[in-house]
Amino acid sequence: MSDENKQITGQAMGHNGIISYEVDVDDNQVKDLKILQHSETSGIFNQVIDKLKQRIIDGQSFDVDAISGATVMTQALLDSAKDAVAKADVKLTPVPQTNTAHETKNLKTDVLIIGGGEAGLVAGCRALTLGQKVTLVEKNGYLGGATILNGSNVTGTGSHVSAKIFGQGTDSPDQLAQDVARESKHSNDPELTDLMVHNIGPAIDFISEFAGLDYQKAQTQTVEHSVERQIELPTASSYEFIQKVSQAFTDHGGEIILGARVEELIRNQKGVVNGVVAEAQNATLNIKARSVVLAAGGHGANTKMRGAESKGIDYYGPMTSTGDAYSFNGDLDLKTRNLDWYKVYPHGVEVEPGIAKLTTYASKKATDMGAIYVNTKGNRIVDESSAYTNARDAILAQPDKVTFMLMDERTWKQVYDLLILHDFTAKEIKKFFDDKDKLPIFTKGSLADVAQAAGVDPDQLAKTVATYQADVQAGKDSQFGRDPEYLHAFEGDTYYLVEQRGRFATTLGGYVTDRKTLELLDTHDQPVANYYGAGEIIGGANGHDSMPSMMNTWGISSGYVAGAQASQNADQRKADGDDDTNIVALVGTNASKSYNRKLLHSMQHLFGKEVDFEVCEIKDLPMFNEDLAENEPAAVKALAAKVAAADGVVIGVPEYDHAVPASLKSALEWLSSVEHPFTDKAVMIVGTSLGIQGTVRAQMNLRQILDAPGVNAKVLPGNEFMLPQASNKFDDHDHLTDANSENFLKSCFNKFLVFIKQDDADKVTA
């Protein structure tokens, strides 16, 4: 190996533990970043690591942006690798980066999806197939939301997919609904449950075909379900779902914008939801949409929003589930219910205070092989092989809300394999055993040894084990009536004892929707036009306790319905004609640099949320020539069509020699010869100049032209906006810096909108 070629290894402390990595350097240039081992959530890690690596290589620096939503993990890697490379005496030469100015982008789509979890992706895919243009925004730098932490298990009731797996006639939507009601103790909303159970079949068939998902029988069929109906993907991972569905979404023309955090809703002049404002890197996005689907995550990571029910229960969901929607929807007066309900599982180990990692697959395997749950008094607390809810309630009933899973070495070996398969590492588990004074409690040894290490009463634990062994021998559980199928004697003298705590990732309460259309409702039970909900943020379908597989069932089925309803609404709005005021703004010069162009872009920034404001150029139009009138240039036809379709036109006019520029006069001659799009069109004139008069003479000249026969525009009287000394009135983003001027411009423009409405009313009554 030459001095120029180096493989530099190091370790970073990620969110879940140590990340071991290697940086490959050749001739003082980073060639690769390789991850050797990690214990991060694979579905997130796999999506962000390549992006991070590319940023490093492109910039030849570790001083690059971390990935939003995975900041702790990616920033730790950047800091550690920067230090390791420096210590190896590597002198990187950063590639100069272009400083991208922050800009405002105005986008339009038919259906806008807020949130990139399974509900949002399914809604987007459904709307795409129904002919809509679909844009999905996700605040994180990766897709998946809370879904990414789940398995892929879901119910397939009523689907052709499930019929092939389980046979015909083994299940029905009504039977699934009965199970939901029973397990939630009838706390569910029956009509919303009905929507879920009758749509999950068509939804599974749809998304399986659309994204090439090959569902199979789930390895675990839990006892909460009265029949075998749970299916999963071959990897058993939700990452496979997110990866394949998002790929199919983009392949079919869907647009995904990552790292775009919704800050507020856009509403039109009638107060109707019309899109969102989202903040992305170096850009503010004003996204107009005919329909909006809210598929954002819950609020589990927001400790200020949590209710009393969550106290003493560890959280294992994404730290980005902060309930943002409850902020940007704040002034809509939306109806909510049961915000303090959580989906609590009994299978978790606390890896840091208040934070857990799930052990569901491993814990289920352990109890299938005969493991028992004991409390600190050394007593068994539950039938370990009954429904998860029984174990959960038994754990939460303990004063410390903790139980311990006791097993033999034979069982531990299989538990260990499943822990490794599902987000734990060998090094991490070894550390649990070695750090006897820290949580979580993992211990092995004789019965007395594990009791002492865990603070369990050793005498009572010995009696409990003796009773259990006798029950196994007799083939009958004398304490809890456990199914004999799961009564297995402990083998050998080595025991393993692992803590189990209640933990939750998802919230069960949320916004209230119409039970058929999934339109969001306000506190007066009135639907909010153009606004639909799906996924975790909509509460009710599963009640106070969802069965295993039912959170995914709700996400997929609600996304399927919301996508279809949003598409239908978008089609209706197209048929009715969009009710947004459409403003076309003409840059009154063909010069490449113009303060009047800056002024119009400033207006687009100020007013683009309440109206459609499009800035159009005249620089591509040829000089007017009457000889060409019979063969009108295509550029003229296109501009004439935009002016004709507009509700109003704004003209930003410079002043040349006390008059309008020749290029603007030429453009207006084109637009008043063969075609006459300005006839009875509402027009507002604005202008700015380097001098102190702000284009006053040009504006007077333009009013004369617009009043000429063949033009016949209706110019807003008075309200003359003339901005002097333009050179110091705009920032680098083409935004006005003078507050008084901005306020006056807003006043003039608001009067222009009133002028347009009055003009439209006069046309109707004429």
Side-chain angles (χ1 to χ4, degrees):
M1 183 190 306
S2 69
D3 290 339
E4 291 78 17
N5 193 316
K6 298 180 179 180
Q7 282 74 48
I8 303 164
T9 59
Q11 291 186 329
M13 178 55 70
H15 187 269
N16 292 340
I18 296 294
I19 303 172
S20 299
Y21 62 86
E22 175 186 293
V23 180
D24 293 348
V25 176
D26 187 17
D27 194 21
N28 287 314
Q29 288 188 320
V30 177
K31 297 299 184 181
D32 200 2
L33 171 66
K34 298 175 181 175
I35 302 302
L36 307 178
Q37 190 176 43
H38 72 89
S39 57
E40 303 301 298
T41 301
S42 296
I44 298 174
F45 193 84
N46 292 341
Q47 292 186 70
V48 304
I49 193 60
D50 286 342
K51 294 179 184 178
L52 187 69
K53 178 170 68 174
Q54 199 59 52
R55 288 182 184 181
I56 294 168
I57 293 173
D58 289 346
Q60 284 302 302
S61 171
F62 296 98
D63 294 322
V64 297
D65 291 332
I67 307 295
S68 60
T71 306
V72 172
M73 171 177 64
T74 52
Q75 190 61 57
L77 263 172
L78 290 170
D79 292 343
S80 176
K82 178 181 179 180
D83 185 57
V85 168
K87 287 180 179 178
D89 199 30
V90 172
K91 302 293 190 291
L92 298 179
T93 303
V95 176
Q97 300 297 303
T98 303
N99 291 325
T100 305
H102 190 93
E103 59 181 323
T104 299
K105 295 182 179 180
N106 295 291
L107 309 176
K108 295 189 74 173
T109 192
D110 294 325
V111 177
L112 174 66
I113 312 293
I114 304 174
E118 66 184 348
L121 284 168
V122 172
C125 293
R126 183 73 171 129
L128 269 181
T129 60
L130 294 172
Q132 308 303 329
K133 178 182 179 182
V134 184
T135 301
L136 183 150
V137 293
E138 165 59 51
K139 70 175 182 177
N140 294 318
Y142 58 89
L143 294 168
T147 306
I148 209 71
L149 302 178
N150 299 339
S152 63
N153 52 305
V154 64
T155 63
T157 302
S159 67
H160 297 300
V161 169
S162 283
K164 291 180 181 178
I165 296 172
F166 298 109
Q168 296 282 358
T170 59
D171 191 16
S172 71
D174 289 342
Q175 188 170 355
L176 178 55
Q178 291 169 11
D179 289 353
V180 169
R182 183 190 66 248
E183 290 300 318
S184 69
K185 297 180 173 60
H186 299 278
S187 59
N188 61 308
D189 181 321
E191 291 181 72
L192 213 54
T193 302
D194 190 62
L195 178 145
M196 174 175 66
V197 300
H198 283 92
N199 281 282
I200 188 56
I204 287 294
D205 286 336
F206 162 74
I207 203 63
S208 296
E209 181 177 355
F210 184 83
L213 303 178
D214 186 21
Y215 278 104
Q216 59 192 25
K217 180 178 178 180
Q219 182 179 1
T220 300
Q221 300 292 318
T222 58
V223 297
E224 290 86 348
H225 294 270
S226 59
V227 297
E228 291 189 340
R229 59 164 70 100
Q230 291 160 278
I231 57 177
E232 65 186 6
L233 297 174
T235 61
S237 169
S238 58
Y239 176 53
E240 181 180 355
F241 181 95
I242 296 298
Q243 186 180 40
K244 289 184 175 179
V245 174
S246 62
Q247 186 64 56
F249 176 74
T250 55
D251 286 348
H252 285 76
E255 179 184 21
I256 295 175
I257 306 176
L258 295 176
R261 181 189 181 97
V262 174
E263 298 288 345
E264 62 178 291
L265 296 174
I266 295 174
R267 291 196 272 176
N268 65 16
Q269 292 175 283
K270 296 180 181 179
V272 176
V273 173
N274 200 26
V276 304
V277 179
E279 288 298 329
Q281 188 176 24
N282 299 320
T284 297
L285 308 177
N286 296 326
I287 310 175
K288 297 283 188 67
R290 293 184 169 98
S291 297
V292 179
V293 177
L294 178 66
H299 59 275
N302 188 337
T303 55
K304 293 181 179 178
M305 288 188 67
R306 290 188 199 167
E309 185 175 293
S310 69
K311 290 182 178 179
I313 303 174
D314 289 337
Y315 179 67
Y316 77 101
M319 300 310 293
T320 54
S321 289
T322 50
D324 299 352
Y326 297 99
S327 295
F328 64 71
N329 285 319
D331 61 353
L332 278 185
D333 195 28
L334 296 179
K335 188 174 184 178
T336 63
R337 62 174 155 205
N338 309 129
L339 292 181
D340 58 345
W341 284 7
Y342 310 93
K343 174 55 189 171
V344 182
Y345 279 95
H347 313 124
V349 297
E350 189 173 68
V351 294
E352 58 182 274
I355 304 297
K357 292 177 76 169
L358 63 89
T359 64
T360 301
Y361 290 99
S363 299
K364 178 67 166 61
K365 186 66 176 179
T367 54
D368 284 353
M369 296 180 69
I372 61 174
Y373 283 175
V374 297
N375 59 17
T376 53
K377 294 181 179 179
N379 295 317
R380 278 179 69 202
I381 63 170
V382 71
D383 170 2
E384 297 83 359
S385 300
S386 63
Y388 290 164
T389 53
N390 294 341
R392 178 202 65 194
D393 292 345
I395 293 173
L396 297 183
Q398 304 305 310
D400 54 2
K401 291 184 169 60
V402 178
T403 189
F404 301 96
M405 186 165 61
L406 183 70
M407 69 196 90
D408 56 21
E409 193 159 25
R410 167 188 63 93
T411 302
W412 166 252
K413 289 179 180 178
Q414 297 209 32
V415 167
Y416 178 84
D417 289 342
L418 286 170
L419 289 175
I420 296 296
L421 183 62
H422 295 283
D423 283 341
F424 288 81
T425 66
K427 188 172 183 178
E428 182 181 24
I429 295 171
K430 182 178 184 302
K431 187 176 180 182
F432 293 160
F433 280 104
D434 292 343
D435 292 346
K436 300 186 183 302
D437 297 328
K438 295 182 180 179
L439 296 175
I441 295 174
F442 275 61
T443 184
K444 66 177 179 179
S446 68
L447 202 55
D449 290 339
V450 298
Q452 181 180 5
V456 174
D457 184 318
D459 295 334
Q460 185 56 45
L461 181 61
K463 292 178 182 177
T464 296
V465 170
T467 299
Y468 177 73
Q469 295 282 63
D471 286 350
V472 172
Q473 188 69 26
K476 183 178 182 181
D477 181 2
S478 62
Q479 286 187 276
F480 296 102
R482 188 176 186 180
D483 190 326
E485 179 184 355
Y486 304 111
L487 294 177
H488 302 287
F490 293 118
E491 298 179 2
D493 297 323
T494 300
Y495 292 86
Y496 287 75
L497 192 139
V498 174
E499 75 169 39
Q500 295 282 268
R501 294 173 179 259
R503 44 88 188 175
F504 77 98
T506 48
T507 47
L508 291 172
Y511 286 122
V512 178
T513 64
D514 181 276
R515 295 176 175 92
K516 293 183 179 178
T517 66
L518 292 185
E519 281 182 288
L520 289 158
L521 300 180
D522 64 21
T523 53
H524 302 290
D525 288 323
Q526 295 301 305
V528 178
N530 310 326
Y531 205 13
Y532 301 82
E536 181 184 355
I537 203 164
I538 307 304
N542 283 302
H544 199 175
D545 185 41
S546 67
M547 298 187 294
S549 302
M550 294 310 296
M551 293 303 290
N552 287 341
T553 299
W554 171 243
I556 294 172
S557 61
S558 62
Y560 179 77
V561 173
Q565 292 294 326
S567 175
Q568 181 178 323
N569 181 71
D571 283 339
Q572 188 62 55
R573 289 193 66 189
K574 291 176 194 175
D576 293 343
D578 292 325
D579 53 6
D580 293 345
T581 301
N582 178 23
I583 303 296
V584 166
L586 299 183
V587 179
T589 177
N590 59 1
S592 59
K593 294 182 179 180
S594 168
Y595 284 108
N596 281 279
R597 183 179 289 109
K598 288 178 178 287
L599 176 57
L600 293 182
H601 281 291
S602 181
M603 292 182 70
Q604 186 181 53
H605 168 72
L606 289 172
F607 311 123
K609 288 187 287 186
E610 61 178 309
V611 301
D612 283 343
F613 195 103
E614 182 181 4
V615 178
C616 296
E617 299 284 351
I618 63 170
K619 59 185 180 181
D620 296 327
L621 271 59
M623 289 297 292
F624 177 72
N625 186 335
E626 203 168 14
D627 294 342
L628 301 177
E630 293 184 4
N631 189 22
E632 191 179 41
V636 173
K637 288 183 178 181
L639 185 58
K642 287 188 176 183
V643 171
D647 296 305
V649 176
V650 176
I651 301 177
V653 56
E655 183 171 312
Y656 293 178
D657 298 330
H658 293 182
V660 302
S663 56
L664 177 57
K665 181 65 167 65
S666 172
L668 294 174
E669 288 169 350
W670 275 121
L671 299 176
S672 58
S673 56
V674 177
E675 299 184 71
H676 303 275
F678 276 105
T679 300
D680 291 331
K681 185 71 61 181
V683 177
M684 176 183 180
I685 301 173
V686 299
T688 184
S689 69
L690 294 173
I692 61 173
Q693 291 187 312
T695 73
V696 59
R697 291 183 178 88
Q699 291 200 28
M700 292 173 61
N701 179 216
L702 182 56
R703 285 177 182 271
Q704 289 179 313
I705 296 170
L706 292 171
D707 190 45
V711 185
N712 293 320
K714 291 186 176 182
V715 182
L716 174 69
N719 299 286
E720 297 170 327
F721 185 81
M722 304 171 190
L723 182 70
Q725 299 174 328
S727 61
N728 59 11
K729 294 295 174 67
F730 299 95
D731 63 18
D732 293 339
H733 311 312
D734 292 347
H735 298 166
L736 279 171
T737 57
D738 183 74
N740 290 333
S741 297
E742 182 177 307
N743 289 334
F744 182 56
L745 179 58
K746 288 178 178 178
S747 174
C748 292
F749 189 74
N750 287 335
K751 290 175 183 176
F752 182 51
L753 295 181
V754 173
F755 181 67
I756 291 172
K757 289 182 180 179
Q758 185 59 53
D759 185 51
D760 289 343
D762 292 344
K763 290 175 182 176
V764 171
T765 57

